[in-house]
Amino acid sequence: MLCFPYAGGVAAGYRNWALALSPHVDVVAVEYPGRGFRRREQLSRRIVDLVQGIMPEIAAEMTGPVILFGHSMGALVAFEVLRVLSPRQPVIAAVMSGCRPPVLRGSEPEIHALPDEEFIEELRKLDGTPEELLADRDLMELAMPVLRADFEAVATYAPPKALKLSCPVLVYGGESDNSVGLDELEGWRDHAAISCAIRAFPGNHFFVRSAEQDVLSTLRRDIRSLTTV
């Protein structure tokens, strides 16, 4: 299973998943350019450029059937990866988490262009960045270039609206997510050529952290269901 981080996230955010999902699936967390062990590389400010930068790593890992999991911005990355994969590559399913579908994407707020104080306040509203990090100006100086690049990539993303995914689609959402409503997640059905199932979890936009054990238990069941002949 290839896991794609949310805006500002790193591959290490999925470190607990490998053990939790074993032996059902091998977890490979994808590292985006400009962070983690790739921090010396140039940041990508467009989703399509980001995907181009990670495809060599993905190609090296895809030696058999795969599942794609992406949360928030990571779901958009997974969506674009699916567009460029060879039709011969067997994809078991795509799990789109905490992200409205392309058919419902309108004009995204350009918070990446806000002055530092306003940008930090918008991050605080999303409730995904620890308060101790938001309050530490030195650490935020290091983190803001990555966050601004990712939010710009999301704000400028313009996918084709009619694309159908030729694999089962699973959609995960937070019951108290103020940025992506559960009703909006229904729009993923318009991108599903085979099937689409929607799962709701307690928590806000970052339910994948606050309800991690619930998410992993559901993911294990979904994986077993999809891979049982």
Side-chain angles (χ1 to χ4, degrees):
M1 183 171 74
L2 299 174
C3 296
F4 302 91
Y6 47 79
V10 294
Y14 290 106
R15 66 164 60 94
N16 296 332
W17 290 40
L19 182 60
L21 296 176
S22 177
H24 308 292
V25 65
D26 292 325
V27 175
V28 176
V30 177
E31 194 77 271
Y32 302 151
R35 66 210 76 192
F37 68 84
R38 304 182 66 175
R39 61 186 176 277
R40 297 187 183 279
E41 298 179 36
Q42 184 175 356
L43 291 165
S44 299
R45 299 182 181 277
R46 298 291 185 272
I47 295 291
V48 291
D49 295 337
L50 193 157
V51 169
Q52 185 177 7
I54 62 177
M55 282 309 296
E57 176 186 357
I58 290 173
E61 296 291 346
M62 295 182 70
T63 56
V66 296
I67 297 169
L68 275 61
F69 180 98
H71 181 71
S72 197
M73 183 186 83
L76 299 180
V77 176
F79 186 79
E80 283 296 313
V81 167
L82 283 167
R83 287 184 61 200
V84 300
L85 285 179
S86 165
R88 295 184 299 276
Q89 175 61 50
V91 178
I92 296 172
V95 187
M96 304 302 189
S97 173
C99 182
R100 67 175 52 85
V103 290
L104 293 182
R105 297 191 68 79
S107 178
E108 294 292 321
E110 297 188 355
I111 69 171
H112 63 277
L114 292 173
D116 287 354
E117 292 297 329
E118 295 177 44
F119 183 66
I120 291 172
E121 188 55 35
E122 289 298 321
L123 293 176
R124 183 173 283 113
K125 290 178 185 177
L126 289 173
D127 199 23
T129 307
E131 184 58 38
E132 55 268 27
L133 173 58
L134 293 174
D136 190 317
R137 298 311 165 119
D138 291 335
L139 288 178
M140 282 305 297
E141 267 193 45
L142 297 174
M144 273 199 288
V146 172
L147 287 162
R148 286 187 185 277
D150 285 355
F151 278 102
E152 182 176 349
V154 171
T156 57
Y157 180 58
K161 296 184 182 301
L163 182 69
K164 292 283 188 178
L165 301 180
S166 58
C167 67
V169 178
L170 298 170
V171 184
Y172 290 4
E175 294 171 348
S176 304
D177 188 343
N178 293 324
S179 59
V180 184
L182 292 178
D183 57 331
E184 293 179 292
L185 298 181
E186 291 286 337
W188 278 107
R189 299 188 190 280
D190 292 335
H191 289 292
I194 298 177
S195 64
C196 180
I198 297 173
R199 318 280 192 229
F201 299 88
N204 60 17
H205 188 61
F206 288 93
F207 66 91
V208 289
R209 292 208 309 247
S210 61
E212 185 179 60
Q213 292 308 310
D214 194 4
V215 170
L216 289 172
S217 294
T218 301
L219 194 52
R220 279 195 295 269
R221 289 195 298 271
D222 282 335
I223 291 170
R224 284 197 295 267
S225 175
L226 289 163
T227 55
T228 299
V229 178

